Amino acid sequence: MHRRTALSVSAALLVAAPLLSACSSAEVRPGTAAVVGGERITTAALQAQVKDVRTAQGRAEQSAQLIEASAGLERVKLGKMIQLRVLEKAAADAGLSVSVKDVEDVRKAQIAQAKGAAQLEQAALQARVPLAPDQIDGEFRFQLLLGKLSDRFGEDKVLVPLAAAAKELHIEVNPRYGAWDVKQIAIGDAQTPWVNQRTRSEQAPAGA
């Protein structure tokens, strides 16, 4: 198993986030949450991720507390989706990849550590960025990509390939969700006061 805990939010990536800057654009077309490397992250895809988490939380014993603790989930999930694409770009540029077997090996180890699949799923729902059961393998892949980049470049220099990848991807965020905030290390409010910030009531802490 890789030395990083797969369900944790990596400190290395959180430090890197100020370099993963993007501009917000009012020109992003309807139905698009963000554009990364010319490819759309659709609002439907984003909302599907949020719905999966909310459904899983609704089945949990402490559903109300879990939902309350994850206010701002839509914005947080979008930030994570953007970061994944940055990681994939940086890894590809470095000739690194994560196989299905890599993910399966981590899953087996994490299930053993949690003492069961049900316990792992419960821990995933309680993570800082909560995960539905079908999102856990994606998080393992996220952490493995970051781990391989850190091993290749060193944890103190992994920001360099991440920043280069983010710059090449020309990230744009729909003002409906905010803009990439380099100070808060999260998606913050867009600098367009006339835009209806539908997610304003669901502000998320730094560290998406």
Side-chain angles (χ1 to χ4, degrees):
M1 184 184 69
H2 198 276
R3 59 189 171 83
R4 287 173 177 76
T5 301
L7 291 180
S8 67
V9 177
S10 170
L13 188 54
L14 294 184
V15 173
L19 297 177
L20 309 186
S21 60
C23 60
S24 175
S25 172
E27 300 302 319
V28 174
R29 71 187 191 183
T32 300
V35 179
V36 184
E39 296 184 358
R40 301 166 64 218
I41 296 176
T42 65
T43 54
L46 172 59
Q47 289 164 4
Q49 284 214 6
V50 173
K51 182 180 179 181
D52 285 349
V53 172
R54 293 301 188 210
T55 299
Q57 288 175 329
R59 293 194 298 260
E61 188 173 327
Q62 297 179 321
S63 60
Q65 294 93 323
L66 290 172
I67 291 170
E68 182 180 0
S70 58
L73 185 59
E74 192 171 58
R75 184 175 294 185
V76 169
K77 282 292 186 183
L78 178 57
K80 191 83 173 184
M81 292 168 82
I82 294 171
Q83 288 182 332
L84 175 59
R85 284 154 177 75
V86 172
L87 271 173
E88 289 172 336
K89 168 67 173 169
D93 289 347
L96 301 171
S97 63
V98 169
S99 69
V100 173
K101 184 178 185 303
D102 291 335
V103 174
E104 289 176 347
D105 288 346
V106 171
R107 169 176 273 277
K108 290 177 184 176
Q110 290 291 312
I111 288 174
Q113 183 176 327
K115 302 188 185 306
Q119 290 84 344
L120 176 63
E121 291 177 3
Q122 182 179 2
L125 278 179
Q126 296 172 352
R128 188 171 184 180
V129 179
L131 303 164
D134 63 354
Q135 296 171 359
I136 294 175
D137 283 356
E139 178 66 10
F140 291 157
R141 183 169 178 273
F142 183 103
Q143 296 292 340
L144 285 166
L145 283 169
L146 180 59
K148 288 192 174 188
L149 279 167
S150 296
D151 290 343
R152 170 68 63 86
F153 295 97
E155 290 191 2
D156 58 334
K157 295 181 180 178
V158 71
L159 309 187
V160 176
L162 289 172
K167 184 176 180 180
E168 289 182 32
L169 288 172
H170 302 291
I171 303 165
E172 296 179 271
V173 176
N174 191 319
R176 169 183 174 183
Y177 300 101
W180 197 261
D181 190 319
V182 298
K183 293 182 180 179
Q184 295 185 36
I185 317 177
I187 295 176
D189 290 339
Q191 299 303 310
T192 49
W194 51 271
V195 173
N196 178 23
Q197 295 286 338
R198 196 184 80 163
T199 57
R200 185 182 296 277
S201 62
E202 291 195 336
Q203 289 288 342

